[in-house]
Structure formats: C-alpha cells, structure tokens
Amino acid sequence: MEEPDVEPAVTVVPGADPAAGQLCFAWGPTEVLVCETRFGRTGGSRPGRPGSVFVFRKDEDIYIDALRKLFNESHGIFLGLQRSEEKLAGKSRKAHLVQVSKNYRSVIRACMEDMHQAASKFVPILSAMELIWNLCEILFVEAAAAGPLLLRLLDWVRLHVCDVDNMVREVLSSEDPSKHELFWNLNNMQTLTEMELKWQHWHEECQRYLQNGTFASSSHMESICKILLGDEDAILEKKELMTTWYHFLVTRLLYSHPTVKPMELRFYAQSSMDLFLGRECSPEPLDTILMAAFAFEIHEVIKECSIALSNWWFVAHLTDLLDHCKLLQSHNLYFGSNMREFLLLEYASGLFSHHSLWQLGVSYFDYCPEYGRAYLELHIERIPLNTEQKALKVLRICERRQMQEQVRSICKIMAMKALRNNRLGSALSWSIRAKDSAFATLISDRFLKDYCERGSFSDLDLIDNLGPSMLLSDRLTFLAKYREFHRLYGEEQFSEAARLLLMLLTSHIAPCFFWMTLLTDALPLLEQKEVIFSTEQTYGLMRCLEDLTAGKLDKQKFQDDVETMKVEMLRLALARNLARAIIKEGTLEAS
C-alpha cells in the first residue's frame, strides 16, 4: 500500500463562512454540495438567517467554451491511439507514439492561439501545459539518447522560452549587423552538430586565449570565451537574457557538457535551479514539475500536475500516452485500478457533467477495462433526458454495449414522460422498446379508453405496424387485433370480421370496460341483409351479453339509460339474427 500524500490544499468556496458556523457537505460524481448549518463552532445552535447552499465544481474548465476545441480534438487522437495499439511494434511503434504526442501538442498550441486572439486568461496555463508535455515527450516518449538529447532540449527552449530567433532576424535585417546592440548577445547561434564537430577545438582554443589574455582588451570577446568554456559565472552574467532556470540549464549544458546523458540531467537541473533562483527562493509548481521530469520521476510529474492544474485533461491524456510507452506498468494504486485508468475515469466523469461533452466521456470509459463499464452505467443513468433525440442517443450507446438494464430504464422514463403529456403513440413505442409488458398493457388501456370516448384511434400507423411486438402483452395483442377487425370491416370482409370479433369476446383478453364496445360493434353485422353470424356464433354473443349484464365479469350495473338502451337493441338484434340463422341453416340442411 502506498504512503499517504501530504494534506491537500484548502479549497475556498466563495460565499461560505466556516468561521461563523459549521458546514456540512455531500459529495456528488463531479461536484460538492456545501451548506451552512445552525450549529456554531462550539456545537451549540446559532441565531440568524437560514444557511446558504453552495455548489462547488472541481472541473469548472469543462464549462469554458474556449476549451471545447481541446476536448473535442484530443478525443479523436485518444481513440486513434487505442485502436492502433495492436498494429504497431518496434521502431514504427515508437515513431507512432512520438507522432501522437506531437498531435496532442498541436491541439494545445492551436487552442492557445485561438485564446491569444481572445486575450484569454487561460493562455499561460496552456503554455505551461505544452511546455511540460514537450519535455515529457523528449525524455519519456522519444527517450532521446546522449547527443541528440541536447539538440531536443535546445529546440524545446527555443520553442517555449528563448526569443533568439526574433533577435537573429532583427540583427541580420539591420544595416550593419556587427554594430547592432544585440549582436554581442547571440551566444548560441551554432547548431548542435556544428558544436559537436568543433567542440574540442573551441574548448582548447578558448582556454588558450583566455589564459594568454588575448582578449583582455575586449570584454565582449573575453565573455564569449568564458561562455564557450561553460563558465557558470559568465553565463549567469547574461541572466537577463535567460528568463528561466531551465533556459540557463540548457545554455549551460550546451557549452559545458553537450553530450550529457539522460540520467545526468537531474544533477545539472537541480544545481541550475539553485544557481539561477538562489537557495532562498521557493520553486513554483511549474518548477517542481519540470524538476521531477528532469529527474525521470514520472509518477511525481503526474502527481504534481494533478495538484497544480485545474482539470484532469492533461494528466489523463499524458498518463495514457506514457502507459502505451510501457512506462507505468509496475505502478498500481492500492484501491485496485492502475494510475492510467484512475485518471481517465476522473476525466470522463467530469465530461459527463456537461450537457454535450458527455458523449466524449463514453469512449474514455470504454477503454477503462476494470471499472469503465461500472462508471458508464452509473453516469449514463444521471443524464437528463430532455428530448427524445437525446434519449435516442443515450439509448443507442447503451444498446451497442448490451446494457440492457439501462436500456429498459431509459425507455420507461421516456414512456412515462410521453404518457404524462398524453402522447400515447410515443409512450407505447418506448414501452415496446423497454419490453415492459405491464406498461404496454397500461398504455393499451389508455388507447382503448380514448377510443370509447372519441370513437377513433390516434397513432394508427403505429398500431397497424406492431408486428410481433403485439405479443408483448395480451392487452397489446387485443389492441392490434381490434384494429385488424376495423380494417376487415372497412374492406367489407364481414365474415372474417365477425369471426375475429367473436374471438376477441370469447378469449377474455379484452378489458371488461371494453366489452360493451365490442358487442356494439356487432350490431352493424347483425343487421346486414346477409346472415353473417351463424347460430353457434349468435349463441356465443348472447352468452357474452348476459355475462356482461349479470355483472359476472366487471360487477357493473347498468343504471345509465343509454347503456340500457344498447343492451335492449343488442338483445333484439341477436334474437332476429338467431331466427334468420336458424332458417338459413335449416334451409341448407333441407336442400
């Protein structure tokens, strides 16, 4: 088990006053709910107004529109890295990882340039992120060896810190470059290759000239000799040209140890920081992170970045890249998940608090093999389903991942919303997708009750095309078959319609409140010129009518005059039809 870290920094919740009384809090997936209580610091109650409630979000950066480009474009790079992992090996794999790292940096820089135009306060933060990432790319991803290492560090300083390129252009564009005030400050114009070829010669020549006092009359030339010899005091005299200690570090290495080995960097870095800043100055968080990188303490880099930066984007993507470089395999967290997965889970959880970026979070959970699915199930249930379009997006995500419980939950929620808004067709469609027979029965009853009141169905297209879905519940089957009865009657297929109507009555799948409607539907068939119902079918209809009037099924008493009149009309029509059917059947037997 790991040793516990130091106490985290105090987080200030604007508006809350812990000195006035006790605070209580509750953790959420991506935020903390803080409220003031009526208890004083000593435990007794305190008078005053009711306590306030504060919502504190850790990942505030998620809601900054200017950073959406960073989140969206890095998502594609992340997915490409995960999908290409199995296809690459050897040198091509390393080259690919370096290119992935550069792609991440290009996204940071593009986002930073956009923010430059908007004068955003996040420019320094993104600049620091690119600075750290680039150094990690050189030391960990590319793993530059002695020789090329210094060349990479020179490029790193030139890109992020040194303004030498602008100085060169300014000097060379002047009428007499040698008389320009910046001419004598350009002490690192040589490339590393040239420096390696001439290193020994320069060193010997400069040492001899310095000892002989050749340039004693020219302070500039003497200063150059000392710099070329790597004299720390001479280099520090030009401190105003080097804005940071790591600029001083690279300059120092260039002139004193151009073939520095990677594992020697930590000693040079520490001494350079001490010389440049002075031992009495406390290092800034950025200094601590860079020093950890120069010391090849990867986990310390990640830890310090997690503390210093305001969101999980940087550490999540950097750790994932380093994990693909096989640099984090031995480091597992004591609570189960490894560092890569832990940071990806935290980053993706933050994305799920955003109204649209949550879709990116799904992919990150997909590539967390241990806890990713559990986290996805937890967060997907918290997405507010404001519209059917959004619900369908969430539903497709769940269906692709065989998350059946979540699929049913989403469909039930949407079915209930549709039912409350009296959108029966949508409610029925969602209940069918949820395979919820009880809810499908409830909605089918609503369809039938509406039919009793209005005499027509809404959403006919849905009912006509239920197909095998009608088997989800008996009531849904009845609804579909009753609609088929109407279709047969409309097509004047009276015999088929009569058989289906009788089947619906005698199978007991019809709700009790709908029996009178079914029997009333039989009236037009009973009054046809041609006998439609046979003697046996007529007796069946009579039994159904008597069961209904006797209250054997629904215990309903016919106190309404209209209902009573319907019953009498049915009895009369059934009696007439029975007589006609007996005569017809007797005539057929006689013939």
Side-chain angles (χ1 to χ4, degrees), residues 297-547:
E297 295 175 352
I298 296 176
H299 303 109
E300 190 67 17
V301 172
I302 295 169
K303 173 187 168 183
E304 294 298 328
C305 288
S306 299
I307 296 171
L309 298 175
S310 57
N311 67 74
W312 296 103
W313 179 90
F314 182 86
V315 288
H317 291 86
L318 178 61
T319 304
D320 174 65
L321 179 61
L322 296 178
D323 185 73
H324 282 82
C325 295
K326 311 297 182 185
L327 297 175
L328 300 173
Q329 298 305 306
S330 61
H331 193 84
N332 290 323
L333 303 180
Y334 65 88
F335 47 80
S337 176
N338 59 38
M339 181 178 287
R340 170 193 174 272
E341 179 160 324
F342 169 76
L343 293 172
L344 286 176
L345 290 173
E346 290 297 316
Y347 173 62
S349 296
L351 291 175
F352 262 83
S353 67
H354 193 272
H355 64 88
S356 63
L357 292 176
W358 65 267
Q359 298 172 76
L360 306 181
V362 174
S363 302
Y364 290 95
F365 284 143
D366 284 342
Y367 288 100
C368 294
E370 191 165 354
Y371 295 120
R373 178 158 183 119
Y375 268 66
L376 179 58
E377 290 174 353
L378 176 67
H379 284 282
I380 208 102
E381 292 175 351
R382 292 189 169 101
I383 297 175
L385 305 176
N386 312 84
T387 63
E388 286 207 1
Q389 182 181 7
K390 188 172 183 180
L392 288 170
K393 280 185 181 179
V394 179
L395 192 65
R396 283 193 291 270
I397 288 169
C398 295
E399 287 175 340
R400 291 192 199 108
R401 292 158 180 79
Q402 288 80 49
M403 297 164 61
Q404 298 306 324
E405 184 178 345
Q406 284 69 32
V407 168
R408 286 192 292 271
S409 175
I410 292 165
C411 292
K412 287 180 181 179
I413 291 170
M414 296 306 297
M416 284 298 298
K417 284 185 176 182
L419 187 60
R420 283 195 295 268
N421 294 325
N422 204 35
R423 295 168 52 235
L424 298 183
S426 178
L428 181 58
S429 178
W430 282 112
S431 66
I432 291 171
R433 293 191 74 157
K435 296 182 172 56
D436 188 334
S437 59
F439 204 72
T441 297
L442 175 66
I443 298 170
S444 299
D445 280 347
R446 283 286 301 272
F447 267 106
L448 296 172
K449 287 177 180 177
D450 281 2
Y451 177 82
C452 291
E453 293 175 3
R454 296 200 298 261
S456 62
F457 282 116
S458 60
D459 301 285
L460 286 178
D461 288 344
L462 175 63
I463 300 174
D464 288 342
N465 295 282
L466 285 173
S469 300
M470 73 170 70
L471 302 177
L472 181 61
S473 75
D474 287 347
R475 197 58 47 80
L476 190 58
T477 303
F478 170 78
L479 178 64
K481 289 298 182 182
Y482 183 64
R483 172 59 190 154
E484 184 181 348
F485 161 76
H486 276 271
R487 181 181 60 79
L488 292 171
Y489 186 87
E491 294 173 356
E492 297 186 357
Q493 300 182 45
F494 298 131
S495 297
E496 290 79 2
R499 280 194 293 271
L500 181 55
L501 182 63
L502 187 61
M503 184 272 292
L504 293 176
L505 279 164
T506 57
S507 63
H508 300 292
I509 63 173
C512 299
F513 67 83
F514 209 72
W515 273 56
M516 179 56 75
T517 301
L518 289 174
L519 288 167
T520 304
D521 285 335
L523 275 174
L525 295 172
L526 291 169
E527 298 296 336
Q528 291 289 326
K529 291 182 180 180
E530 182 183 354
V531 177
I532 304 298
F533 291 102
S534 66
T535 304
E536 183 179 355
Q537 290 174 328
T538 307
Y539 281 129
L541 290 172
M542 287 178 169
R543 283 193 295 271
C544 292
L545 179 60
E546 293 308 313
D547 287 342

